[in-house]
Amino acid sequence: MCGWQNRYDIYGDGGGNMKRSIFCIAMIMAVATAGCGKAASLPEDGMKQVATPVVDTRPVTLTAAIDGISVDERLKELIVQQLQQKHPNITLQIYPSAKGTTLNELIVAGQTPDLIFTFNGNLLSYRDRDLLYDMTPLLKTHNVDMSRYDANIIGDIRIASAKDEMYALPFSLNFHALYYNKDLFDKFGVPYPQDGMNWDRTLDLTKRVTRTEGGVQYRGLDTGNGVVWIAQPLSAAAVDPIKEKASVVTEEWKTVFNLVKSIYSIPGNDRKGDAFLKDKTLAMQLQLNMLAALEKPTAEGLNWDIAQYPSYPERPNTYGNASVQAIAITKSSAYKDQAMQVIRMIASDEFQMISSRKGWMPAVNNPDIQKSFGADVPYLAGKKLSSIFKSKPVKYPVSSQFRTKAESILQANFDLFLNNALDVNTSLAKAEEEINKMIAESGK
């Protein structure tokens, strides 16, 4: 009897019932000819497996660059370890994102890597540099089941696509969440933040836990990244990417400016210091995935937990950009099938389960894998990690090339509004004028 592949692998559609006996006989003969391991099977998870293409099994070394994201050593080790078990002929050299081995430096040195670990927001820039390769044919021949992914996540990957190309495959997600210091809420007799809170409820909690006691100033809430993250759930952008013009004199940005000012105008809740992780004087922190950064503070006595990111009434259960972490095969790679084997292994349910249990948010839409998130990380025991999955990211925007500079201008003008130097309408109008001037001057 032929052996069955690991049940957490990625399987294809597998085909339907055979109605014509001659076709059945042909299929049986083909399977017999192909030998054990090529026959369709039905693993325990109920998904049919179809034969994967024959790929050269001679030893090969693939290289990978890291660009725009952090891939820590534990994840690198896990990838190499699992790859050795699944495809021992493939050696993967993952270059650190450091001086001498950045993606740009590798390209200039004539060492363009086979793979790039990156995030979806970077893909558009790769298109202009002729790095992108449409993996659609490989995804089909390697039987990758795309239905395992949330449609919104795949849509975020396709932001760089002109004709629905798949230039990368997700391997992990970033997320926004509300982290809170339980001891401070206990100290002041205030109930903990709950899932499903809107901004009004969050602002009320902020006021109740912002106070001075025993000569110590306790702050209620830090928004993490000023006005930018707070604006993302409303799909508010500083620059219209089609017109390449500022787009900040809007009701959405006015709402964001007023909301963030109401948070930081609470006496004592000004922005300063590392108050959550180090000083332990901040009650609530809005942040991306900072679970890895919480290990040491937890050991040092930080009694924290996590809640769902606050929502706007018109956008319930929605946080900001997901920043989908993905792997792309470069156009110049001479080992595209082997590179696809690496991606397929990382995208498999088996690997996603292992990495999820170790605290990396899974990319696949699998409830069992999501429920196992952080299960093997001792300092995450008892934390309400399920809260993370109750919100979905907003659709990732097609960003202007001027986005970063425009957001800096916008933040600077918000600070003028926060300090009462300008009213909200004037600060937004000033920001719009300065952004358009910056864009115009960049073309000279």
Side-chain angles (χ1 to χ4, degrees):
M1 179 178 291
C2 297
W4 63 287
Q5 284 193 336
N6 194 297
R7 64 176 298 225
Y8 290 117
D9 231 352
I10 302 178
Y11 300 113
D13 294 333
N17 296 326
M18 309 303 179
K19 295 183 178 180
R20 291 178 296 181
S21 59
I22 187 170
F23 183 69
C24 292
I25 294 171
M27 286 295 291
I28 293 170
M29 292 178 66
V31 170
T33 302
C36 182
K38 299 296 175 73
S41 61
L42 189 64
E44 291 179 12
D45 60 9
M47 297 178 67
K48 292 183 179 179
Q49 176 196 359
V50 295
T52 54
V54 176
V55 179
D56 193 336
T57 57
R58 288 177 293 183
V60 61
T61 297
L62 304 181
T63 58
I66 300 172
D67 186 45
I69 64 172
S70 175
V71 180
D72 68 36
E73 292 303 316
R74 293 176 303 140
L75 184 56
K76 290 181 188 177
E77 291 173 5
L78 180 62
I79 291 171
V80 171
Q81 178 191 61
Q82 291 294 306
L83 189 61
Q84 181 62 32
Q85 294 179 16
K86 303 297 180 183
H87 302 288
N89 62 302
I90 300 176
T91 298
L92 180 63
Q93 181 179 359
I94 305 176
Y95 290 111
S97 182
K99 184 175 177 56
T101 55
T102 65
L103 176 61
N104 288 338
E105 289 170 320
L106 290 171
I107 293 172
V108 170
Q111 300 175 20
T112 302
D114 300 284
L115 295 157
I116 304 174
F117 287 80
T118 187
F119 74 102
N120 58 318
N122 270 348
L123 294 176
L124 197 60
S125 67
Y126 299 160
R127 188 174 67 186
D128 297 335
R129 296 153 71 185
D130 202 27
L131 287 172
L132 294 178
Y133 170 74
D134 182 11
M135 302 193 308
T136 302
L138 281 179
L139 293 171
K140 291 179 180 178
T141 58
H142 284 260
N143 308 311
V144 177
D145 182 3
M146 297 301 291
S147 69
R148 298 165 62 252
Y149 299 95
D150 188 288
N152 291 336
I153 298 302
I154 296 303
D156 285 351
I157 288 290
R158 284 193 164 120
I159 63 168
S161 305
K163 298 179 181 179
D164 247 13
E165 299 95 339
M166 278 298 295
Y167 291 128
L169 203 66
F171 72 90
S172 186
L173 304 178
N174 222 330
F175 60 86
H176 294 249
L178 188 156
Y179 302 81
Y180 61 94
N181 185 324
K182 296 173 70 174
D183 285 344
L184 294 188
F185 281 88
D186 292 340
K187 179 182 181 71
F188 302 136
V190 178
Y192 299 146
Q194 299 296 311
D195 293 338
M197 293 195 310
N198 59 24
W199 281 108
D200 286 343
R201 173 62 177 153
T202 305
L203 185 61
D204 177 64
L205 280 182
T206 303
K207 293 175 180 177
R208 296 176 66 184
V209 292
T210 300
R211 62 180 75 185
T212 300
E213 189 165 304
V216 178
Q217 177 62 60
Y218 295 97
R219 294 172 51 206
L221 175 69
D222 191 285
T223 63
N225 192 20
V227 296
V228 175
W229 286 351
I230 307 302
Q232 287 179 359
L234 294 177
S235 301
V239 179
D240 183 320
I242 306 300
K243 299 178 181 179
E244 290 293 15
K245 295 288 185 181
S247 59
V248 298
V249 181
T250 66
E251 286 302 312
E252 288 79 13
W253 276 113
K254 188 174 180 178
T255 295
V256 171
F257 268 42
N258 284 324
L259 170 61
V260 179
K261 182 174 182 176
S262 68
I263 293 170
Y264 288 120
S265 294
I266 297 171
N269 193 49
D270 53 335
R271 298 168 291 180
K272 60 181 179 181
D274 187 0
F276 190 79
L277 295 178
K278 184 179 179 181
D279 300 334
K280 302 181 181 62
T281 56
L282 176 64
M284 295 180 288
Q285 173 77 63
L286 295 176
Q287 192 53 267
L288 301 177
N289 181 358
M290 58 183 279
L291 297 180
L294 283 161
E295 181 174 10
K296 184 178 179 182
T298 303
E300 294 172 347
L302 177 62
N303 183 20
W304 63 276
D305 213 328
I306 197 165
Q308 190 178 5
Y309 198 83
S311 296
Y312 291 97
E314 62 270 38
R315 294 284 182 92
N317 304 314
T318 301
Y319 55 69
N321 303 343
S323 297
V324 181
Q325 298 184 343
I327 314 176
I329 298 175
T330 58
K331 186 176 180 179
S332 60
S333 175
Y335 304 105
K336 292 184 174 66
D337 274 304
Q338 290 89 342
M340 191 68 240
Q341 286 181 316
V342 174
I343 293 178
R344 191 178 189 274
M345 184 274 294
I346 295 174
S348 70
D349 276 359
E350 179 181 16
F351 188 91
Q352 289 285 297
M353 176 64 84
I354 295 171
S355 61
S356 177
R357 292 182 66 88
K358 292 181 180 294
W360 291 290
M361 190 174 185
V364 295
N365 191 21
N366 183 312
D368 290 335
I369 294 177
Q370 292 174 351
K371 289 177 183 177
S372 298
F373 182 61
D376 292 341
V377 184
Y379 69 90
L380 298 182
K383 306 302 181 184
K384 298 191 302 178
L385 301 179
S386 61
S387 299
I388 297 168
F389 299 96
K390 293 181 180 180
S391 290
K392 296 292 184 182
V394 70
K395 180 178 175 57
Y396 202 91
V398 176
S399 298
S400 165
Q401 60 181 311
F402 304 108
R403 171 186 170 182
T404 301
K405 290 182 178 179
E407 288 177 347
S408 295
I409 292 172
L410 190 61
Q411 182 65 49
N413 280 277
F414 168 76
D415 290 341
L416 293 175
F417 170 56
L418 177 63
N419 295 322
N420 299 315
L422 298 173
D423 61 50
V424 64
N425 293 321
T426 305
S427 63
L428 287 170
K430 183 172 177 289
E432 180 126 337
E433 180 181 350
E434 291 177 1
I435 292 170
N436 283 332
K437 181 180 178 181
M438 176 270 294
I439 294 172
E441 290 179 347
S442 68
K444 294 179 180 179

